[in-house]
Amino acid sequence: MARIVCFGEILLRLSAPGRELLLQTPTLQTHVGGAEANVAVSLARFGHDARMVSFLPDNTLGESARGELRRHGVETTFVEHAAGRMGLYFLTPGAGQRAADIIYDRTASAFANIPATDWRAALNGADWLHISGITPALNATTTDATLGAMQAARAAGVKVSFDSNFRAKLWEARGDDPRPTLNALFADADLLFAEARDIGLATGERAANADEAAAIAFKRYPNLQRIASTTRTIVSADHNDLGGVMHTRTTATRSPARAVIGIVDRIGGGDAFAAGLLHGLVTGSTEQHALDFAVAAAALKHYIPGDFNLATVADVDFFLSNSGSDVRR
Amino acid sequence: MARIVCFGEILLRLSAPGRELLLQTPTLQTHVGGAEANVAVSLARFGHDARMVSFLPDNTLGESARGELRRHGVETTFVEHAAGRMGLYFLTPGAGQRAADIIYDRTASAFANIPATDWRAALNGADWLHISGITPALNATTTDATLGAMQAARAAGVKVSFDSNFRAKLWEARGDDPRPTLNALFADADLLFAEARDIGLATGERAANADEAAAIAFKRYPNLQRIASTTRTIVSADHNDLGGVMHTRTTATRSPARAVIGIVDRIGGGDAFAAGLLHGLVTGSTEQHALDFAVAAAALKHYIPGDFNLATVADVDFFLSNSGSDVRR
Amino acid sequence: MARIVCFGEILLRLSAPGRELLLQTPTLQTHVGGAEANVAVSLARFGHDARMVSFLPDNTLGESARGELRRHGVETTFVEHAAGRMGLYFLTPGAGQRAADIIYDRTASAFANIPATDWRAALNGADWLHISGITPALNATTTDATLGAMQAARAAGVKVSFDSNFRAKLWEARGDDPRPTLNALFADADLLFAEARDIGLATGERAANADEAAAIAFKRYPNLQRIASTTRTIVSADHNDLGGVMHTRTTATRSPARAVIGIVDRIGGGDAFAAGLLHGLVTGSTEQHALDFAVAAAALKHYIPGDFNLATVADVDFFLSNSGSDVRR
Amino acid sequence: MARIVCFGEILLRLSAPGRELLLQTPTLQTHVGGAEANVAVSLARFGHDARMVSFLPDNTLGESARGELRRHGVETTFVEHAAGRMGLYFLTPGAGQRAADIIYDRTASAFANIPATDWRAALNGADWLHISGITPALNATTTDATLGAMQAARAAGVKVSFDSNFRAKLWEARGDDPRPTLNALFADADLLFAEARDIGLATGERAANADEAAAIAFKRYPNLQRIASTTRTIVSADHNDLGGVMHTRTTATRSPARAVIGIVDRIGGGDAFAAGLLHGLVTGSTEQHALDFAVAAAALKHYIPGDFNLATVADVDFFLSNSGSDVRR
Amino acid sequence: MARIVCFGEILLRLSAPGRELLLQTPTLQTHVGGAEANVAVSLARFGHDARMVSFLPDNTLGESARGELRRHGVETTFVEHAAGRMGLYFLTPGAGQRAADIIYDRTASAFANIPATDWRAALNGADWLHISGITPALNATTTDATLGAMQAARAAGVKVSFDSNFRAKLWEARGDDPRPTLNALFADADLLFAEARDIGLATGERAANADEAAAIAFKRYPNLQRIASTTRTIVSADHNDLGGVMHTRTTATRSPARAVIGIVDRIGGGDAFAAGLLHGLVTGSTEQHALDFAVAAAALKHYIPGDFNLATVADVDFFLSNSGSDVRR
Amino acid sequence: MARIVCFGEILLRLSAPGRELLLQTPTLQTHVGGAEANVAVSLARFGHDARMVSFLPDNTLGESARGELRRHGVETTFVEHAAGRMGLYFLTPGAGQRAADIIYDRTASAFANIPATDWRAALNGADWLHISGITPALNATTTDATLGAMQAARAAGVKVSFDSNFRAKLWEARGDDPRPTLNALFADADLLFAEARDIGLATGERAANADEAAAIAFKRYPNLQRIASTTRTIVSADHNDLGGVMHTRTTATRSPARAVIGIVDRIGGGDAFAAGLLHGLVTGSTEQHALDFAVAAAALKHYIPGDFNLATVADVDFFLSNSGSDVRR
């Protein structure tokens, strides 16, 4: 099993119960999330040594979030206290043709003004560093911290996995052009989770499809060894069709779309994919099996409430191999 | 924005939680409803000045119902106290091929023996009066009150919207022939929500479809300017196909059926349609947009728990324009 | 109405709420179940005189289970106290492509070491005795008790209904060859609920389909008058296609598969089928109606939370006759 | 164990959860109650053959209420269907100095217009008939039915237990003088549950205390053999002091008040006392033990949610004998 | 009835259910609160024309908070949208000797940077303006806004009620000396809710008790006509003793402490007192009745979940007059 | 901070919600518990390096229990998988004078047949080993395992803390005389949690009070350095008076009883005391402070739902120092 370090903000999700609208009745359900924390939890559930690097407020909310990571086996020694609020988001889950709705509430969070991290210690013994594009999008400090973390990893011989997770709204709110930053981030990644659109944005070269995008990116970013993404068709909030595609410098692998019907919780599907693929890579799977496993993990996540993919390797394997049972006795 | 007055009984719904049968477990969920109250709430959520005229018992149940209307922006100055019970209905929500089940419990309600209403005051400044066929079906007193309200509106230059909402069981329980009353009601309406079946019942002339029914009705009722209805195919309790049709004296407009899958709450869909159409009419939409908006509002209601369509104009517009997003961030 | 005696273990189900994983949140929902208890409750809800014969611990758990049977009209005079635990099972309900998961926890239960039953008294006035293959699979004592019960019934002129319900894991845990026991059990049944696979296992003769299996079984077991089973195609945990087939020595009847979409609770579907068929047989339905009723009862069960089919005869009849209503008012 | 027949209305209670106000949040908890049903359930839990005689609507609400009685072991063969509503009451539980609040909603219930009961059959084998003063207070029909039931019991040699349960509001609403009816009812009772105030009201003779009241009543009503009541001091909704007093024609027995602190549910305390005393009488307890048991049963009821006293004889005995344990392991 | 304008921040409370610790289980209960909103709701429930002046974010959280005020009858025309977050606070309710715990989370709220308010319009027709000391403590802008509001009221002949509600932590966080501001605020009040400690802080003159404090304040602040406060002894989180004291320039009135045991929700008790006293003053009660009513309202609030005192005048009157009933039927 | 190793069975508690009876409604709340696990969690919350040594089944129940320990910071490397069931207990929480009720359901658990533990590894770096008397009471294997663990600790220079926790029922069920085992266990302890009664049982010498018992024990057991216990007076399930007493060979320390009123959850109070005292000892507190801290921790536990004392050192310190605040802001 591998040691994988995840760096990013841990959020507390507050969501309406069942299929209700937010605050339609006076109850909220809480889950802990955040793109990189989701990856860490999934990897820990897969049996890896997953370490989280983050900052939380020194109060019950922060301690509770830390406890949830620990509960699922994530190592939290490098989750430190910092001044500021707990980052929150409010979720109205979708239903059928009614889309889900998210209100982010992360202003002035403990994570937003990142103090210096001792990356030498935090990366000690690590195989991979995983970061998403949300962290560098928050503000100039988090941009610098992200680039610093990636460079520290590269210097220490730790591979870098970067999920672009592009959020236009964050960059608009900040009033900055995301392209120089994206370029710098993509340049330091060994593994990039990105769609053609994101690669087009970073490089300024429009790609018609994943194959073209991969060609552009591999040319532009010499460190980059692998690009992967889910392929998703949204039929409704209850029904997506989900597949995947992965390129190395020499191969292209595809996992056909499967119907994901009766969705329970859509949040964190992409993070489950990233964790599934990292699992495949560090355990030496074939390209095809690694991608199939990642797509299956992402699909299975849609049937698990909350942001975390709580499935184990055995659960994903059963899911992949299941030919017609709807009850495991 | 317009002032629209809605007149009818406010009911308290008591329903089984989730997909349970009624009283399978000892918990009931409450919602406030009633056909005209549902229209009033939807119009208030759309930004209109919606006023409810009704009668409630002078106890916590009545006050709670009034509070729910007020919460959503309905003006309740003309919701008065009267002797009698709170009207109730017990709902077992449907699931898949298991149909929903309703037990009405409105005997001896505060609304059933309507005292005189000061319609001059209640209609002051109003653009529309909206009534449904449930109110006049209850008993002779409510029949007279309904006709009186419609005549007062007509005298005051307030347009009348009438949703036929025909319930055979109510008329059977009463032992009366509904036809003369329906005829009188249809004769006083400017806008009629009715299917061909209802028009056939009122006029005694059978119509093969909505077009023929419209022709019959426009000929019979000189005041009538517009007829509209949803078109609904019921696949299961979880899946309906929902469209709409609207006739003026010179035009016929259709909105194609859309699949409404993964239904959360079926009650109040027709009232959401009525409110959506009234919104379109008072805001000067085109015929097509008004009807599309009404159908979209009705469809969206199926994904919102309770009797009320809590969607805003922005929500319906997003629903109409959405091309593939299942999360609004 | 008939008197039908059901003999088997009563279990307490502990399941995760909604679509959650087991213990994801610290709440469990409880239901009472057990294959034969499920049949007894369904028959009592259909209006029959259903009597349960079983053993429960002398504590609150046992008393609560007895109370649930009584609540639905089952006679529990012959449910006796015995030393041992309450039999439990933990259920993670399935969702979409995520299969349900069951942890049985019936070690050392009060039922497992069955004391002698006064079958003469317990079968007094009975028309049928119903047993499933789970009871004889538990251990040698329960095997003997099952065969003893069936022989007592046969001696008293009470017909025997046997649902094979084959569970390979139980026999493996016991380390015994199930075939001699299955053979003995099948030999004493008048009505057998079994698929071709189960008949093949008992007889050692492989059958390609239900018709062949019926021919084999009727030849081998002279007492046997009727074989029935559901036909089920599992699309997902939310969607099964469900039909039925029934053979007598001279006839073969089929009920076409219907789509069961939006499944609420899959457990107990087979027991609902058995109860539905017994109802048809004791009320003198035609072969076709009895089978259609049984399939409809099984389908309807999928929309009712818990192990029990709580539908009444009126509910099943409405389900069979419903042509397009999703609300019963 | 004795056979005791209870005659009265079965009600469905709808109450706010926890310490909330009614409909403060949109959830209601349901319990089945009614003074005589409460007595029947308690007696059945004590192991007696308790039979309920009543009328319920032929719908899910009525069936559910019947099921709850059956669950706790009450025989419901003589609970018949009748036209009319389910009788309801809405409860806001009290808290501290905030008194509980009840809205009765029993207008036009199935019980209110009692059809003829076959008392010969219903009283077959009975030792006692138990009735409360609520039933005769409802209307003239129920007054006659109550007197008829008591006379049938007297004719059949069945002892009559009558709990006066005087509710001034019911008689005011009816516009009748309760005294002649109370007199007739008291005259037919063998056992009377009444306070001095009630005896004063029926006889027109004011009594300063329970001793004087007993003297008056025994003089006035020759059939009367025993009078009992709780003595209750209300400190707050959470704290009552509860004792009891019982008179025969020759003895006076008292049970000292015990502090009942941390009350969970106050409803049904008096009915638990009545059931406790009947248990003592039919099992041949001493006067003192019967009364102590009744007071203990009533006190214990205050710690059990709902209208029913679900305690067993063993629970009451433990309660009486407990000297300092707060956990039974 | 009077028109009373309340100006302050509206907060969303997120609290642990029952007696749990915050996030011990993943559910939060929501209530709307804020000192001045609490006063507005209580006054509206008492039948007054209560108007709220505030700022909320333009999202579902803000709309939901507005709806809750409206539900209870508060006029919200002057609750405007502003940029910023919804102000939150997280509550761990206390239990016994475990104190409640609050995490304020109001950084960067929509209310914190108050835009200009059209006070001429907002105060139109008003009898009183009510403000608490929390608003001016937030930052310099809210200090100015508070003083501006009070001066506008004074100019318009509207009386000013000021609840000092001193929170040392807010002033410490700001790094400012609160005394000049408190002085200015007290100087503009007609009615001051303050304890001796607060008056000592504002004036710099230490007072040994409420009488001395009143003398100091009346001398220092010529506009001040009345000072009132609760007197509270905290025994545990479940038990407070609560009384009140009120001074005019010529009179001193006391309401004796009553034991408030079995507390349900402590938050908002002081605001309930303020609303109760304002009710007494505007309805012309005697000094003693006004104070007794205010103390009773405050005590009753402790038995109502949430921040709002939902009691009506009838409820408080019943509470004051109740001599021994724990159930209102 | 110290490293403390706790060895014992981890149980899953299934309890009725609120003040309900077990299975009165079909919901159970789950908590993880077990005497030694409770100590481990409390110590981890106090900041110590707490390690659990135990055995759990290899299924979701076992994994969930492990996750709960990890969530609160307990190290679970030495919690191993073993064949067998998850140990359960069912709890009916008490209320007022109604005592709580526990049904243990630990037959055939994974812990009951303890495989060999590598104590050298498990005790590596440890300061203390903590065990309770429940483990050796289960069966001969667990007796041997307990003694083996204590001897391994003694050999490794790790101090031994033993909580006698005597449960007569366990020894009766086993049919063994507990005395020889108790003697052996007490002989190996450095710190003993025991009341006079337990010491009398082990030594056969009756002691009138804690002082005499301590004298007897110190004489009999040369290794023993310290004896401590709570002193508890049970007023009701809601109200205990709780103090403590501690003896060394030379000193006697007492902490006066404090009233613990409004108890939320009684389970685990003794374990909270043990953890509190261990905390005091390893942090070098005075005798008096260590005992006061332990009593305060135990008292505070009564206000926290579940078996675990989730309080931090800061929470206990606040509790000890709090002089009149019922809200921490």
Side-chain angles (χ1 to χ4, degrees), chain C residues 25-323:
Chain C
T25 63
T27 302
L28 293 169
Q29 294 181 325
T30 65
H31 291 89
V32 173
E36 303 83 359
N38 297 348
V39 171
V41 164
S42 182
L43 287 167
R45 301 279 298 185
F46 288 161
H48 297 284
D49 177 355
R51 169 181 289 170
M52 191 75 202
V53 178
S54 192
F55 301 90
L56 286 170
D58 184 13
N59 61 22
T60 306
L61 303 174
E63 281 317 294
S64 167
R66 178 199 298 274
E68 277 301 304
L69 293 192
R70 222 156 41 187
R71 179 184 176 190
H72 297 300
V74 174
E75 193 220 300
T76 64
T77 313
F78 288 85
V79 177
E80 298 175 55
H81 288 154
R85 305 175 51 237
M86 182 77 204
L88 308 176
Y89 77 96
F90 291 86
L91 170 70
T92 306
Q97 273 81 40
R98 175 165 63 73
D101 202 288
I102 292 182
I103 300 173
Y104 285 104
D105 184 23
R106 57 207 307 177
T107 304
S109 76
F111 185 81
N113 198 3
I114 297 180
T117 297
D118 178 356
W119 280 110
R120 185 192 298 258
L123 289 169
N124 181 30
D127 298 290
W128 282 88
L129 169 68
H130 179 77
I131 298 187
S132 93
I134 295 172
T135 301
L138 296 177
N139 58 45
T141 306
T142 59
T143 302
D144 291 349
T146 308
L147 289 167
M150 288 170 82
Q151 286 151 12
R154 192 152 286 287
V158 176
K159 286 186 184 161
V160 174
S161 156
F162 183 74
D163 187 339
S164 64
N165 245 335
F166 184 71
R167 300 275 166 81
K169 276 200 189 168
L170 287 173
W171 288 98
E172 283 161 20
R174 189 171 154 183
D176 273 351
D177 179 356
R179 276 176 295 183
T181 300
L182 287 182
N183 240 310
L185 293 162
F186 285 23
D188 271 338
D190 296 273
L191 165 60
L192 176 65
F193 294 97
E195 299 180 20
R197 189 202 52 164
D198 302 335
I199 291 170
L201 184 73
T203 62
E205 299 179 58
R206 180 165 300 180
N209 55 42
D211 295 330
E212 288 184 23
I216 291 167
F218 284 131
K219 193 166 161 197
R220 177 77 72 108
Y221 308 115
N223 290 326
L224 191 59
Q225 303 304 322
R226 193 179 296 269
I227 304 170
S229 75
T230 57
T231 58
R232 185 189 291 269
T233 307
I234 294 169
V235 181
S236 77
D238 297 345
H239 178 180
N240 288 192
D241 291 328
L242 192 74
V245 58
M246 178 166 62
H247 288 85
T248 65
R249 290 187 168 270
T250 56
T251 62
T253 309
R254 284 177 174 81
S255 194
R258 57 169 75 219
V260 179
I261 302 178
I263 293 174
V264 170
D265 196 316
R266 156 84 161 76
I267 309 295
D271 305 320
F273 176 78
L277 196 66
L278 282 165
H279 170 75
L281 296 182
V282 301
T283 55
S285 296
T286 63
E287 299 286 315
Q288 188 65 50
H289 183 69
L291 184 62
D292 289 348
F293 186 93
V295 171
L300 192 48
K301 165 62 197 68
H302 289 71
Y303 300 115
I304 296 175
D307 304 49
F308 296 157
N309 182 16
L310 299 177
T312 62
V313 170
D315 291 333
V316 181
D317 285 344
F318 179 86
F319 186 83
L320 277 171
S321 69
N322 186 15
S323 56

Side-chain angles (χ1 to χ4, degrees), chain B residues 289-320:
Chain B
H289 183 71
L291 184 62
D292 289 349
F293 186 94
V295 170
L300 192 48
K301 165 62 198 69
H302 288 71
Y303 299 114
I304 296 174
D307 304 47
F308 296 157
N309 182 16
L310 299 177
T312 62
V313 170
D315 292 332
V316 180
D317 284 345
F318 179 86
F319 185 84
L320 276 171

Side-chain angles (χ1 to χ4, degrees), chain E residues 19-21 23-25 94-104 167 169 232 234 236-238 240 263 266-267, chain F residues 29 31 45 71 258-264 300 303-306 310-311 315 318-319 322 324-329:
Chain E
R19 298 296 192 181
E20 293 182 7
L21 303 188
L23 295 181
Q24 188 177 358
T25 64
Q97 273 81 40
R98 175 166 64 72
D101 202 287
I102 293 182
I103 300 173
Y104 285 105
R167 301 276 165 81
K169 275 202 188 165
R232 185 188 291 269
I234 294 169
S236 76
D238 296 344
N240 288 192
I263 294 175
R266 155 87 161 75
I267 309 295
Chain F
Q29 293 181 326
H31 292 88
R45 302 279 296 186
R71 176 186 176 193
R258 57 169 75 220
V260 180
I261 302 179
I263 293 175
V264 170
L300 192 48
Y303 300 115
I304 296 175
L310 300 177
D315 292 332
F318 179 87
F319 185 82
N322 187 14
S325 167
D326 60 351
V327 185
R328 298 160 77 180
R329 292 182 201 262

Side-chain angles (χ1 to χ4, degrees), chain B:
Chain B
M1 298 284 93
R3 167 168 289 181
I4 300 161
V5 176
C6 298
F7 171 56
E9 182 163 20
I10 304 168
L11 295 171
L12 183 65
R13 183 223 273 196
L14 305 165
S15 57
R19 298 299 191 179
E20 292 181 6
L21 302 188
L22 192 66
L23 296 181
Q24 187 176 359
T25 63
T27 302
L28 292 169
Q29 294 180 325
T30 64
H31 291 88
V32 173
E36 303 84 359
N38 297 348
V39 171
V41 164
S42 182
L43 287 167
R45 302 278 297 186
F46 288 159
H48 298 283
D49 178 355
R51 169 181 288 170
M52 191 74 203
V53 178
S54 192
F55 301 90
L56 285 170
D58 184 12
N59 61 23
T60 305
L61 303 174
E63 280 317 295
S64 167
R66 178 198 300 272
E68 276 301 303
L69 293 193
R70 221 156 44 185
R71 178 184 176 191
H72 296 300
V74 174
E75 192 222 301
T76 64
T77 313
F78 288 86
V79 177
E80 298 177 54
H81 288 155
R85 306 174 51 237
M86 182 75 205
L88 308 175
Y89 77 95
F90 292 85
L91 171 69
T92 306
Q97 274 80 43
R98 174 165 64 72
D101 201 289
I102 293 182
I103 301 174
Y104 285 105
D105 184 24
R106 59 209 304 178
T107 305
S109 77
F111 185 82
N113 198 4
I114 299 180
T117 297
D118 177 356
W119 281 108
R120 186 190 298 257
L123 290 168
N124 182 29
D127 298 290
W128 282 89
L129 169 68
H130 179 76
I131 298 185
S132 93
I134 295 172
T135 300
L138 295 177
N139 59 45
T141 305
T142 59
T143 302
D144 291 350
T146 308
L147 290 167
M150 289 169 81
Q151 286 152 12
R154 193 152 285 287
V158 175
K159 285 187 184 161
V160 174
S161 156
F162 183 75
D163 186 339
S164 64
N165 244 334
F166 184 71
R167 300 275 166 80
K169 275 201 189 166
L170 286 173
W171 288 97
E172 283 161 21
R174 189 172 155 181
D176 271 352
D177 178 356
R179 278 178 293 182
T181 299
L182 288 182
N183 239 310
L185 293 161
F186 284 22
D188 271 338
D190 296 90
L191 165 61
L192 176 65
F193 293 97
E195 300 180 20
R197 187 202 54 165
D198 301 336
I199 291 171
L201 185 74
T203 62
E205 299 180 59
R206 178 165 301 181
N209 55 43
D211 294 330
E212 287 183 23
I216 293 167
F218 284 130
K219 192 166 162 197
R220 178 77 72 107
Y221 309 115
N223 290 326
L224 192 60
Q225 302 305 321
R226 193 179 297 268
I227 304 170
S229 75
T230 56
T231 59
R232 186 188 290 269
T233 307
I234 294 168
V235 181
S236 77
D238 295 345
H239 177 179
N240 288 192
D241 291 328
L242 192 73
V245 57
M246 177 166 61
H247 289 86
T248 63
R249 291 188 169 269
T250 55
T251 62
T253 310
R254 285 177 174 80
S255 194
R258 58 168 74 217
V260 179
I261 301 178
I263 293 175
V264 170
D265 197 317
R266 157 84 160 76
I267 309 295
D271 305 320
F273 176 79
L277 195 66
L278 282 165
H279 171 76
L281 296 181
V282 302
T283 54
S285 295
T286 63
E287 298 286 315
Q288 188 66 48
H289 183 71
L291 184 62
D292 289 349
F293 186 94
V295 170
L300 192 48
K301 165 62 198 69
H302 288 71
Y303 299 114
I304 296 174
D307 304 47
F308 296 157
N309 182 16
L310 299 177
T312 62
V313 170
D315 292 332
V316 180
D317 284 345
F318 179 86
F319 185 84
L320 276 171
S321 70
N322 186 15
S323 55
S325 165
D326 60 351
V327 184
R328 298 159 78 178
R329 291 183 201 262

Side-chain angles (χ1 to χ4, degrees), chain A residues 35-36 131-138 146 162-167 170-171 181-182 185-186:
Chain A
E36 302 84 359
I131 298 187
S132 92
I134 295 173
T135 300
L138 296 176
T146 308
F162 183 75
D163 187 339
S164 64
N165 244 336
F166 184 71
R167 300 275 165 82
L170 287 172
W171 287 98
T181 300
L182 288 181
L185 294 162
F186 285 22

Side-chain angles (χ1 to χ4, degrees), chain D residues 19 93-100 234-240 260 262-266 302, chain E residues 325-327:
Chain D
R19 299 298 192 180
Q97 274 80 42
R98 174 166 63 73
I234 295 169
V235 181
S236 76
D238 296 346
H239 178 181
N240 288 192
V260 180
I263 294 175
V264 171
D265 197 315
R266 156 85 161 77
H302 289 70
Chain E
S325 166
D326 61 350
V327 185

